[in-house]
Amino acid sequence: MAHLRDRGRRQAERHPARTPRRIEGASAKAADIITKDCPTALPAKATDRLALAEQRLDAMQQAIKIVRPAFQAFYDSLDDKQKATLDASGPRHWGWHHWHWPWSED
């Protein structure tokens, strides 16, 4: 998220009318939902852990629904070159390209 925020700040400096304040507000609201609805303590019972996982997924889905319109408006305000730059960035470029599941043999 910090990568997107930095990119948004640079964009805002070049084009003040495109300031991503809407994204920041939506992100803060989404973070509040995730913090409130995603407890960090794991229950002892497996069935309770599964229920917690479902609760976390629901919270993440709510958060995405809050952030998506703000991000889409920001994305739509970019020119083609800026969109291409943003599209080329992402988790694989943040160092995740070597990430794998701990139990996988890849």
Side-chain angles (χ1 to χ4, degrees), residues 13-64:
E13 289 168 3
R14 288 190 301 269
H15 303 282
R18 297 181 186 164
T19 302
R21 292 200 190 283
R22 189 170 164 200
I23 293 175
E24 290 176 2
S27 295
K29 190 173 183 181
D32 288 344
I33 287 172
I34 291 168
T35 301
K36 178 180 66 92
D37 293 344
C38 295
T40 56
L42 290 177
K45 290 178 61 180
T47 54
D48 292 342
R49 289 192 301 270
L50 187 59
L52 177 61
E54 185 176 15
Q55 181 181 345
R56 287 178 174 173
L57 288 171
D58 288 342
M60 293 299 293
Q61 188 174 25
Q62 286 177 357
I64 289 169

Side-chain angles (χ1 to χ4, degrees), residues 27-102:
S27 295
K29 190 173 183 181
D32 288 344
I33 287 172
I34 291 168
T35 301
K36 178 180 66 92
D37 293 344
C38 295
T40 56
L42 290 177
K45 290 178 61 180
T47 54
D48 292 342
R49 289 192 301 270
L50 187 59
L52 177 61
E54 185 176 15
Q55 181 181 345
R56 287 178 174 173
L57 288 171
D58 288 342
M60 293 299 293
Q61 188 174 25
Q62 286 177 357
I64 289 169
K65 287 180 180 180
I66 290 169
V67 173
R68 180 177 286 283
F71 181 80
Q72 188 67 51
F74 171 70
Y75 185 84
D76 291 344
S77 74
L78 301 175
D79 62 34
D80 289 341
K81 184 178 178 185
Q82 292 166 325
K83 286 179 183 177
T85 300
L86 186 58
D87 291 344
S89 69
R92 297 265 180 221
H93 298 280
W94 301 338
W96 290 16
H97 55 284
H98 295 296
W99 187 89
H100 61 88
W101 293 106

